Amino acid sequence: MEKRILIVDDDTDICALLSRFLNRHGYQTETAFSGSKALELLKGSKFDLVVSDFRLGDTDGLKLLEKLHAEDIHLPVIIITGYSDIKMAVNVIKAGALDYVTKPLIPDEILLMIRKALGEDTSGADDVSRVKTQNARKQTSSPSFLIGKSKSAIELYRQIDLVSPTNYSVIIYGESGSGKEAVARSIHDRSERRSKPFVAMDCGAISKELAGSELFGHEKGSFTGAINSKIGHFELANGGTLFLDEIGNLGYDIQVSMLRVIQERKLKRIGGNKEIDLDVRIVIASNENLANAFRNGKFREDLYHRFNEFTINVPPLRERSKDIIPFAEHFLKEANMELGREISGFSDEVKDIFLQYSWPGNIRELKNIIKRSTLLTNGELILPEALPPELTGGNVSTLISSNQNHNDFRNDQQQIPKVVTNLKEAALEAEYETIMNVLQKVQFNKSKAARLLNIDRKTLYNKMKHYNLLNEQDGTSV
């Protein structure tokens, strides 16, 4: 059945041209020259997609989207604009538009956009907009940022490409280990600030007493233990991007000081009198909803609104099944290089286990499991025997057929992890398993994990660092 598209534009020539072009490609079209006529048609007939100019005679794209939502009309909307205004584009996306395209219209570009919006096969199409963003990625993308193939991944990258050229503050939501810092780095690498510093700070790994010093710096002698002057993260990131992970862990007093710094674009180090001018883009991340946090009195509402200029939700790995095996293969290449191995891939059984597992620790968990499995594997493929029990349920057994020769038997024996007889090693292994089980249970929320393990956050942080459960580059969670 042919898909029906409503074209909305007060320029009758554009309506006629678009209509003829889409008719030739097998779509039914109707045209409306005003927002009110568009609403009338949408209430009376069923359409699969709306393509609308942003500036209409009686309304604009934002107001049209609001009216559609008010009338409970939910369908994909593509906005056309003759103004290459990134702020407007961000606003229409936030208001619910699927995508936007600028005039002059490129036929192949808008056709591909429509096909993607309708869920049709776009293989072999000339994706003009994708080419532009891919070229930008080749020039500026961080090597730690993995490009996935799932629908949610493609949408994630589209939002990154959209907001990166702006100076908007960004809130990144996502479960622990889902790659929030990689998203923040990617935003920085695609921005005009790419040549300036990207500074990351894990707010959950720093005590409340030291948070002010870490953020704003301090002068020598300003408090007990201040032996030397210290430059804070805001100052280190001047001109570039400051990424604040787990920002909900900051104390209320620090939030007040941060709000003042953001508003005035100036800071004073603790114990200092000199004002330092700041030009910093702030990207924050949280695995809890900050809107709920301020309603519950855990986060300042005014600070939340300062940050909430654009929001990105990073999908968990379990919702990105198409990305699991490509990501695993990427991490295997890294592990091969690090350990000097030449493992070629994974057995089919391991791939099935990966696809069936829920990945509570997300990309971080996948990366660590690949590194561990690579270390335990001496053959060409990673087999189930090399996987930790949380993936296999502890039921993996090595089957050796009776016709195997002695060399095959020896090779299989090498695949089986040795039994630990050293008490110290056994204790460390048990501690590692306990910490991993608790982290997975709380989706790698370090505050909750520390409480369940009955240790303080700093002790947990040090143990995670010891067991290589943190990002090696800067000591923050992946």
Side-chain angles (χ1 to χ4, degrees):
M1 184 177 178
E2 290 184 343
K3 299 291 179 69
R4 300 190 69 222
I5 299 174
L6 177 62
I7 301 168
V8 188
D9 201 315
D10 55 3
D11 186 328
T12 56
D13 290 336
I14 287 181
C15 280
L17 288 169
L18 259 182
S19 183
R20 285 198 297 269
F21 174 72
L22 294 176
N23 289 159
R24 288 200 305 269
H25 285 85
Y27 298 103
Q28 289 184 9
T29 60
E30 283 197 43
T31 57
F33 306 129
S34 66
S36 57
K37 181 62 177 178
L39 280 172
E40 180 185 329
L41 290 171
L42 288 166
K43 288 178 185 177
S45 304
K46 184 181 182 303
F47 290 89
D48 300 289
L49 176 73
V50 175
V51 179
S52 174
D53 191 19
F54 179 75
R55 299 186 184 276
L56 301 169
D58 59 344
T59 187
D60 61 38
L62 284 173
K63 292 176 182 175
L64 178 61
L65 287 165
E66 291 171 0
K67 290 175 181 177
L68 291 179
H69 293 157
E71 295 291 341
D72 202 27
I73 299 172
H74 302 288
L75 73 170
V77 178
I78 294 173
I79 296 293
I80 301 172
T81 176
Y83 303 84
S84 293
D85 182 348
I86 194 71
K87 184 175 180 179
M88 183 280 295
V90 169
N91 288 336
V92 297
I93 296 296
K94 290 177 71 173
L98 179 70
D99 214 331
Y100 76 100
V101 62
T102 56
K103 297 176 183 176
L105 299 179
I106 300 172
D108 287 338
E109 181 182 10
I110 195 164
L111 179 61
L112 182 84
M113 201 175 285
I114 288 170
R115 285 176 173 170
K116 287 192 293 186
L118 295 173
E120 298 173 355
D121 182 18
T122 59
S123 58
D126 179 20
D127 189 350
V128 178
S129 61
R130 179 68 55 79
V131 168
K132 289 188 289 186
T133 57
Q134 283 179 343
N135 288 340
R137 285 194 188 116
K138 288 176 183 176
Q139 296 171 9
T140 63
S141 64
S142 166
S144 64
F145 188 66
L146 301 179
I147 306 299
K149 300 178 180 178
S150 64
K151 285 185 178 180
S152 56
I154 292 170
E155 173 62 17
L156 171 63
Y157 309 140
R158 188 183 67 82
Q159 291 184 6
I160 290 171
D161 286 331
L162 182 66
V163 78
S164 294
T166 75
N167 274 318
Y168 280 20
S169 295
V170 181
I171 301 177
I172 303 174
Y173 288 115
E175 296 176 4
S176 292
S178 58
K180 297 189 291 295
E181 182 174 339
V183 170
R185 284 183 181 275
S186 185
I187 291 171
H188 172 77
D189 289 343
R190 288 162 170 75
S191 74
E192 294 181 357
R193 298 174 179 266
R194 67 179 72 94
S195 61
K196 300 296 183 179
F198 175 89
V199 178
M201 174 177 166
D202 185 350
C203 301
I206 297 172
S207 66
K208 293 181 180 179
E209 294 77 17
L210 294 177
S213 173
E214 291 293 324
L215 283 167
F216 313 123
H218 65 254
E219 297 294 353
K220 181 179 178 180
S222 57
F223 56 85
T224 303
I227 302 172
N228 298 301
S229 296
K230 176 184 174 66
I231 298 176
H233 284 68
F234 266 100
E235 200 173 341
L236 286 170
N238 212 355
T241 303
L242 176 60
F243 172 62
L244 301 173
D245 196 8
E246 294 196 31
I247 193 169
N249 288 283
L250 287 179
Y252 221 70
D253 54 339
I254 296 298
Q255 293 179 32
V256 174
S257 300
M258 184 182 292
L259 179 64
R260 188 179 303 116
V261 168
I262 294 170
Q263 288 175 335
E264 297 176 2
R265 297 286 176 177
K266 297 177 184 292
L267 70 77
K268 291 181 182 178
R269 296 179 189 172
I270 296 173
N273 296 315
K274 180 184 175 182
E275 283 194 335
I276 300 168
D277 292 329
L278 286 179
D279 174 24
V280 178
R281 181 183 194 175
I282 299 178
V283 179
I284 67 171
S286 176
N287 53 21
E288 62 176 334
N289 191 304
L290 294 178
N292 292 336
F294 83 68
R295 293 188 191 102
N296 295 330
K298 297 179 180 179
F299 199 82
R300 287 187 64 92
E301 182 176 0
D302 45 9
L303 186 60
Y304 166 75
H305 289 302
R306 281 281 174 181
F307 291 143
N308 192 34
E309 292 182 310
F310 195 80
T311 302
I312 291 178
N313 290 289
V314 183
L317 189 57
R318 62 181 172 274
E319 295 178 6
R320 305 168 61 175
S321 58
K322 288 185 179 180
D323 299 334
I324 293 173
I325 302 304
F327 283 9
E329 291 170 345
H330 172 85
F331 292 138
L332 178 58
K333 289 179 182 177
E334 288 186 346
N336 275 333
M337 291 180 64
E338 181 181 342
L339 299 172
R341 300 293 179 87
E342 294 182 355
I343 299 170
S344 60
F346 309 91
S347 70
D348 290 340
E349 190 174 359
V350 167
K351 290 180 181 179
D352 288 340
I353 291 171
F354 283 173
L355 293 173
Q356 293 170 16
Y357 184 57
S358 63
W359 298 107
N362 291 294
I363 296 174
R364 183 201 296 122
E365 184 183 12
L366 174 62
K367 181 177 182 178
N368 289 330
I369 283 173
I370 299 303
K371 291 174 72 173
R372 177 184 187 275
S373 302
T374 304
L375 182 63
L376 293 171
T377 297
N378 293 315
E380 293 185 359
L381 296 176
I382 290 179
L383 303 175
E385 289 86 350
L387 301 180
E390 57 262 29
L391 268 75
T392 63
N395 296 323
V396 175
S397 60
T398 304
L399 300 177
I400 304 173
S401 62
S402 58
N403 63 347
Q404 281 184 309
N405 61 30
H406 181 65
N407 288 333
D408 288 337
F409 178 78
R410 284 178 58 196
N411 288 337
D412 283 342
Q413 287 292 87
Q414 291 173 355
Q415 302 279 351
I416 304 173
K418 66 178 181 178
V419 177
V420 178
T421 56
N422 182 293
L423 284 176
K424 185 176 180 180
E425 289 184 23
L428 290 173
E429 182 70 20
E431 183 178 73
Y432 170 82
E433 295 293 343
T434 302
I435 290 172
M436 275 299 298
N437 288 336
V438 172
L439 285 169
Q440 289 170 349
K441 181 178 179 181
V442 299
Q443 296 184 337
F444 279 78
N445 184 305
K446 291 190 284 294
S447 296
K448 292 180 180 178
R451 285 196 296 270
L452 287 174
L453 292 165
N454 198 26
I455 57 177
D456 57 51
R457 277 187 56 88
K458 190 65 178 178
T459 301
L460 175 61
Y461 178 83
N462 289 334
K463 288 185 180 295
M464 290 178 70
K465 188 173 183 181
H466 173 74
Y467 291 120
N468 200 25
L469 297 174
L470 297 171
N471 188 311
E472 297 90 339
Q473 291 180 348
D474 53 20
T476 57
S477 299
V478 176

